[in-house]
Amino acid sequence: MERYKIIKSVGDGTYGVVFRAVNTANGEICAIKKMKTKFKSWEECLALREIKSLRKLSHPNIVKLKEAFRVNDELHLVFEYMEENLYQLIKDKPTAPPESQIKSITHQIVMGLEYMHKHGFFHRDLKPENLMVTKDLCKITDFGLAREIRSRPPFTEYVSTRWYRAPEIVLRSGNYNSPVDIFALGCIMCELYMLKPLAPGNNEIDQMIKLCSVLGTPTMQQWPEGYRLASKMNFRFPQYTGLSLRELMPLASYEAIDLIQKMLAWDPAKRPTAAECLEHPYFGGPAIEEPKGDNFQRTGTKWSHGSSRIGGNSSKGKWSLKPQERKEQGLPLLKEVHELPKIQKPEIQFGRDEFLPPIFQQKNIPNPMIGIGRERVLNDRLPSNYERAPSGKQGNYYIPKLPQNLPVMGNMGMKKLPPIGTMGGIGSSILGKPSGLGRLRF
């Protein structure tokens, strides 16, 4: 311990206190974690999970254990120093980090998890406080709850901070594995975009209620094992339809939302592995097609991952809300009429005093076998005070009847009937139209 000079305390956790120190031999800044548990022997120290896991794990995105020593039964672990954790990075920030930074941090965490899971360990306590950041570098720290994947269950029920705890652990399952780290990372991604926890439950029951309210209540087909665990606890899932992650994270790209939804699957068997996450389009894998029925649209030709997305002036495209199409109200239903009302036709009686001209009467029709009387029948349509003009006039000309002693002067009062069979002349004023009845022909 003489080689290290304590500068200040930088953190206090459940299992130890972290100090910022300097190596007096080479002036290197480091972080020393002093364990709160007393260790009687060095063998007990070597059996510690954090030492066992970190001795086997060496990756750029996993914090490096430089040294371990015991002083007065107190175990000290010396790590490389990182400036701040992920919670301190986003704390009290007015806006979320640019998506390029969120993607870089998430990608480094997934790479660390992929290496860790590949070598037989899973973290079990992934949260922003256990992710250290220095400039553009992010590393996973605090392996105090790490377990080997090949370890036999049951595992400890109470692990990780409640807000990032996978639902199978909340329901006290003793058989869980590396998918719990994927679920925790999905919650962390949401927090980076929203600057607040996704489901900050006050206790286990409240945690499940908040998860259901955000993700939607799982069905029996989606997660049968979850219903078995809930039944064992006498817990009934609250019924929620869930919230739209796009409304919660409007600055997130479609690929980010898709990856988060997969990470937050209720059934741990349906969550992608860390290796599968690295192949997702969010990290540059094969592109996925955005559904056309979405309320969001892309205004450019490429996805924008830089800070210009937040400012809204990205040249590569940004999300904007589609205007909702207004639907016209339907026309009212027509009232069905089963039977039309009967229309009584007015009875029209023809006569000399009616508005229609008089027509021939049956009494005026002579015996058709006798070839006389045709002129008489036709002329019966005229008033009685008209008569045929003298034979010198060609055509159907008629003149008023005059006294016998009064000579006819020219064409005085002369009228001409239309030819037989035409549609003009008499009756032209019927219904106000010029389509008259014409003369009768038979």
Side-chain angles (χ1 to χ4, degrees):
M1 191 63 185
E2 301 82 21
R3 292 186 296 135
Y4 297 96
K5 181 181 179 180
I6 302 297
I7 300 177
K8 65 176 182 178
S9 174
V10 294
D12 189 355
T14 305
Y15 302 100
V17 182
V18 181
F19 300 94
R20 180 183 180 185
V22 58
N23 190 332
T24 57
N26 54 20
E28 182 182 9
I29 302 296
C30 59
I32 298 179
K33 182 178 181 179
K34 178 183 177 181
M35 306 300 294
K36 295 181 179 180
T37 305
K38 299 293 183 178
F39 294 87
K40 300 297 182 180
S41 64
W42 184 244
E43 286 73 16
E44 292 182 22
C45 298
L46 295 178
L48 193 65
R49 291 174 183 168
E50 190 164 11
I51 294 180
K52 289 175 63 177
S53 59
L54 290 176
R55 287 179 68 185
K56 297 180 180 180
L57 300 176
S58 177
H59 189 269
N61 299 116
I62 296 177
V63 69
K64 184 178 180 180
L65 177 63
K66 291 179 172 292
E67 187 180 358
F69 55 88
R70 184 170 64 96
V71 178
N72 298 328
D73 296 338
E74 294 178 341
L75 178 63
H76 297 75
L77 305 177
V78 182
F79 298 96
E80 57 180 325
Y81 181 76
M82 305 288 288
E83 293 180 358
E84 58 184 352
N85 60 44
L86 199 57
Y87 169 73
Q88 294 169 336
L89 178 67
I90 63 176
K91 181 183 178 182
D92 300 328
K93 292 292 191 300
T95 58
E99 190 172 52
S100 60
Q101 185 178 3
I102 297 176
K103 182 186 298 185
S104 175
I105 292 173
T106 307
H107 185 258
Q108 294 181 68
I109 298 172
V110 175
M111 291 180 64
L113 290 178
E114 192 273 336
Y115 177 85
M116 184 194 314
H117 296 167
K118 182 179 178 180
H119 286 74
F121 291 91
F122 62 105
H123 194 276
R124 293 204 305 171
D125 194 18
L126 213 59
K127 57 184 178 180
E129 289 82 356
N130 290 340
L131 300 171
M132 303 302 298
V133 180
T134 297
K135 296 182 180 179
D136 296 332
L137 184 61
C138 180
K139 297 192 176 188
I140 304 173
T141 64
D142 197 349
F143 285 73
L145 293 176
R147 287 292 300 265
E148 291 187 76
I149 294 178
R150 293 181 293 271
S151 300
R152 287 187 175 183
F155 297 137
T156 307
E157 294 176 356
Y158 182 84
V159 294
S160 75
T161 304
R162 186 184 306 110
W163 297 351
Y164 312 94
R165 200 175 300 173
E168 61 266 29
I169 300 179
V170 178
L171 294 179
R172 301 178 185 177
S173 172
N175 187 7
Y176 53 86
N177 214 299
S178 56
V180 301
D181 292 341
I182 302 299
F183 187 91
L185 181 56
C187 296
I188 293 171
M189 282 187 66
C190 292
E191 189 166 347
L192 290 175
Y193 280 105
M194 299 189 303
L195 298 181
K196 60 182 180 180
L198 178 67
N202 298 321
N203 49 56
E204 291 183 347
I205 301 299
D206 187 47
Q207 183 67 26
M208 285 301 300
I209 293 175
K210 283 185 167 57
L211 286 176
C212 291
S213 64
V214 174
L215 304 179
T217 304
T219 63
M220 177 68 76
Q221 292 74 19
Q222 288 177 319
W223 192 26
E225 178 64 18
Y227 276 81
R228 188 189 68 82
L229 295 172
S231 177
K232 191 176 180 180
M233 291 178 55
N234 293 325
F235 174 76
R236 296 186 63 181
F237 283 99
Q239 298 301 311
Y240 289 97
T241 57
L243 301 176
S244 172
L245 294 182
R246 295 191 175 181
E247 295 180 2
L248 296 176
M249 297 172 285
L251 299 179
S253 63
Y254 176 76
E255 288 88 349
I257 298 295
D258 183 75
L259 178 59
I260 291 174
Q261 288 177 337
K262 288 180 170 61
M263 287 181 168
L264 298 180
W266 286 98
D267 191 346
K270 297 179 182 178
R271 297 172 203 154
T273 64
E276 292 172 344
C277 290
L278 291 175
E279 298 175 357
H280 192 271
Y282 183 65
F283 299 121
I288 53 179
E289 184 178 356
E290 178 187 355
K292 296 181 180 180
D294 204 288
N295 284 336
F296 287 82
Q297 63 181 352
R298 192 177 59 183
T299 58
T301 57
K302 296 181 180 179
W303 299 114
S304 173
H305 301 301
S307 58
S308 58
R309 175 186 290 279
I310 295 179
N313 57 352
S314 170
S315 61
K316 296 181 180 180
K318 61 181 180 179
W319 288 106
S320 62
L321 188 62
K322 283 184 180 178
Q324 297 292 333
E325 296 182 359
R326 295 179 59 186
K327 293 183 178 180
E328 298 292 340
Q329 293 184 354
L331 294 175
L333 295 177
L334 296 178
K335 188 175 181 181
E336 185 177 1
V337 179
H338 298 283
E339 184 177 356
L340 291 175
K342 293 184 179 180
I343 301 176
Q344 295 182 354
K345 297 182 179 180
E347 296 183 359
I348 301 177
Q349 296 181 356
F350 297 100
R352 296 183 180 273
D353 298 331
E354 301 296 331
F355 71 97
L356 290 176
I359 63 173
F360 62 91
Q361 303 295 328
Q362 185 67 30
K363 65 182 180 178
N364 295 330
I365 301 178
N367 189 347
M369 298 301 294
I370 304 174
I372 61 173
R374 182 173 184 273
E375 294 295 331
R376 179 186 170 191
V377 173
L378 294 177
N379 294 342
D380 199 28
R381 298 175 58 106
L382 292 174
S384 60
N385 59 342
Y386 272 79
E387 63 182 356
R388 180 181 290 276
S391 59
K393 296 290 183 180
Q394 300 296 326
N396 297 318
Y397 285 94
Y398 296 82
I399 59 175
K401 292 182 178 180
L402 299 176
Q404 296 181 357
N405 299 327
L406 185 64
V408 178
M409 298 179 65
N411 295 332
M412 179 184 64
M414 187 176 295
K415 286 187 178 182
K416 182 179 181 179
L417 290 178
I420 296 176
T422 63
M423 295 297 292
I426 302 172
S428 62
S429 61
I430 298 176
L431 300 178
K433 297 182 181 180
S435 57
L437 297 177
R439 299 181 66 191
L440 298 179
R441 181 171 185 174
F442 58 94

